[in-house]
Every structure is written in structure tokens, then in C-alpha cells.
Amino acid sequence: MASLAESMALPAAAGGLAVLFSHPLELTKVRLQLDNELAAKGTPRQYAGFVDCVLQNFRAAGVRGLQRGLSLGVTREVCFNAVRIGLYDPILSASGAVSGRGERAPSARERMAAGFTCGALGGCCVNPIEVLKVRMQAYGGLTGHQHAIPSPAAGLAALVREEGLAGCLRGVGTSTARGVLGPGSQLIAYNELKAVAVGHGADPAAAPTHVSCALASAAVSVACVNPVDVVRTRVYNAPAGLYASGADAARRLLRTEGPLALYKGSLTHYLRLGPHMVLVFGILERLKSMRARSS
């Protein structure tokens, strides 16, 4: 039990620290994804791009505005990484035990199944936090429905009072799919790329190995997950009754804005996710080294 707790605590700490630096780009991504929601193709956008979005948000509210919803971002990363990264090795170990083949290296199929499982579980666990985080990040911007949330506690109280359990579970199916496609693909890509790099002589403990594998895995993740991420952001932030489901949101987006709208905010998504995962995996590897030296 202690080893399981440690395996979950280290990624949780790494994610909570990393988001302190990456949160402004996460906020920017959310506002870009909501830009021109359900507007006809060719309608002028509120933001010319991620640089313009950052500058406008900074002029409007300063650094504090760019960090809106940070406490929820930290909470989300702590919980999410504890599950999606912390349970990865234990699930792989369980698959080896169930197979009855004793100690062995897990197969690529088992690593993929573990990554997808952890991503889906993480998406389910943090769904209410994600709903509030997206709404706080959207509030004060030029795009998207505006939910007046003065604080996380007030936002949670309003969510439960006005929407009940259904509000806390809003978009959970889309979030689960995102957890499978995004973090699942990224975790698999990171571990596979690192295994290939080490096989070609790279030092598994060296910073360049972590950085290159984290950046490459983030690109894989964004390519897989950005369409679902756009849909999820809109479902989370929409006023009651606007969308019947994630599938309805996707259908209406495609009909009004076209398929390219599914990649709104994708550059910002990568600029946020790439450095964020470099920090997460870098901090995680350092914490593991510190633990190993102390034991």
C-alpha cells in the first residue's frame, strides 16, 4: 500500500508544481477554443491568435487575470496525475501477475491498455473540477458564455445548487474520451520514445532524454486530442440547454464552423502541453531519484 501511495504522490506533486508555470497558456487555449462558438465560417474572430489573446487578457486583468482559476488548475493536476501516471506502473504489474507468466517486460499492447485505462480513469475523477476550471478561465474573456464565478467555493456551490449532480457530471463522457486519446496517447508515446532513445544509447536519467521525449509525446497527444478538447471545453462552459451532448456539440460545430474549428487553440495547446510535460516528467524523474537515494 505504501508503494502505491508513493507511486501516486510523486506524479501528483510533479503535476501540481508544473501547472504553476503553464496555467496562463491553458487559460489562453480555453478562450481561443470558445472564440466564434457556432458562428458562421468567415465571421471575424475576437482574437487574432494566441499572442493577441495573451496580450488582450494581460491588458484587461494583468498577471492575475492570466492565472484565473489557478487553484482549480493545481487541484486538477494533482488529482489527474496521481491517477493517470501514478497508476500506470501498478496496472502494468497487475497485468503481469494476472497473465501467470511471472516477471517479464510488459508488451506494447499491455502498455497501451494501461495508458488508455489510466487516462480514462483520470478524466472521470476530475470532471467536476474541470467544469469549474473551464468556466473560471472563460470568465472575463471576450469569448464564450460568461459564468460569474468569484471563487472556486462559490462556483462549486452554484454548480451543485443550480445543476445538481448532472452539472458535476456534465461532459463526463467527452472527458473520458479525452482522457483516453490525450493523456493515454501521451503516456504511451513518452514511454515508447524513451525506450527507443535508451535503446539507441541515450542516458535514461539525462535531462535531454526527458525533454525530447516529453516534447515529442506532447505533439502526439495534441494531434489526437485537440478535437475532443474543443468539444469538451464548449460543453463545460455552455449555458444549460445549449448542447444535448458532446456529440451534439461536435455536430453543430462542424455544421457551422467547419472541421478546422476542431483544431482551434491547437498551437497554444502544444505550447502549453509541451513545456508542461517537460516539467512534469522532469520533476517526476528528479523526485524518483531523490527517493531512491534516500531509501
Side-chain angles (χ1 to χ4, degrees):
M1 183 61 69
S3 61
L4 177 60
E6 287 179 0
S7 70
M8 297 181 72
L10 294 181
L17 290 170
V19 77
L20 298 175
F21 302 94
S22 63
H23 188 79
L25 283 173
E26 172 70 12
L27 178 143
T28 303
K29 181 204 73 172
V30 166
R31 294 186 178 183
L32 288 172
Q33 289 177 337
L34 293 169
D35 202 359
N36 277 10
E37 184 174 9
L38 299 182
K41 286 183 286 187
T43 303
R45 294 186 177 184
Q46 296 292 328
Y47 299 117
F50 84 91
V51 174
D52 179 56
C53 186
V54 170
L55 290 175
Q56 289 206 51
N57 292 331
F58 179 76
R59 293 187 190 114
V63 173
R64 186 174 181 179
L66 291 173
Q67 293 283 22
R68 178 180 289 275
L70 177 61
S71 60
L72 288 168
V74 172
T75 305
R76 183 260 187 195
E77 287 296 320
V78 166
C79 298
F80 192 48
N81 284 292
V83 175
R84 68 142 174 175
I85 299 177
L87 291 182
Y88 181 75
D89 287 335
I91 286 177
L92 279 181
S93 298
S95 70
V98 171
S99 71
R101 286 178 282 176
E103 292 295 329
R104 59 178 176 81
S107 67
R109 181 176 296 179
E110 286 171 333
R111 290 194 296 269
M112 184 176 296
F116 287 157
T117 300
C118 292
L121 288 173
C124 290
C125 290
V126 302
N127 198 77
I129 302 171
E130 291 273 24
V131 173
L132 291 174
K133 180 177 73 68
V134 166
R135 291 181 178 186
M136 284 199 75
Q137 289 172 328
Y139 184 61
L142 301 178
T143 60
H145 183 74
Q146 299 290 288
H147 295 270
I149 301 178
S151 69
L156 179 60
L159 179 65
V160 173
R161 181 178 65 251
E162 297 169 9
E163 301 180 45
L165 180 61
C168 295
L169 297 178
R170 176 191 283 243
V172 67
T174 307
S175 184
T176 302
R178 184 194 181 281
V180 171
L181 292 172
S185 64
Q186 184 179 29
L187 190 58
I188 294 165
Y190 177 81
N191 284 286
E192 294 300 316
L193 288 167
K194 186 177 178 183
V196 171
V198 171
H200 284 79
D203 181 357
T209 304
H210 304 318
V211 171
S212 58
C213 292
L215 289 175
S217 68
V220 172
S221 178
V222 170
C224 293
V225 81
N226 203 81
V228 181
D229 197 57
V230 171
V231 172
R232 188 187 68 155
T233 295
R234 295 188 175 190
V235 170
Y236 281 164
N237 192 63
L242 181 60
Y243 299 121
S245 64
D248 178 53
R251 177 182 58 79
R252 294 175 65 182
L253 178 151
L254 289 170
R255 188 180 66 223
T256 57
E257 302 171 61
L260 289 179
L262 291 171
Y263 280 91
K264 280 186 175 180
S266 58
L267 177 59
T268 309
H269 195 168
Y270 178 76
L271 291 175
R272 177 258 174 192
L273 188 62
H276 178 79
M277 294 317 299
V278 168
L279 288 169
V280 168
F281 286 118
I283 294 170
L284 180 57
E285 297 288 353
R286 181 57 58 89
L287 291 174
K288 286 181 177 179
S289 297
M290 292 169 61
R291 184 186 64 177
R293 287 197 298 268
S294 64
S295 60

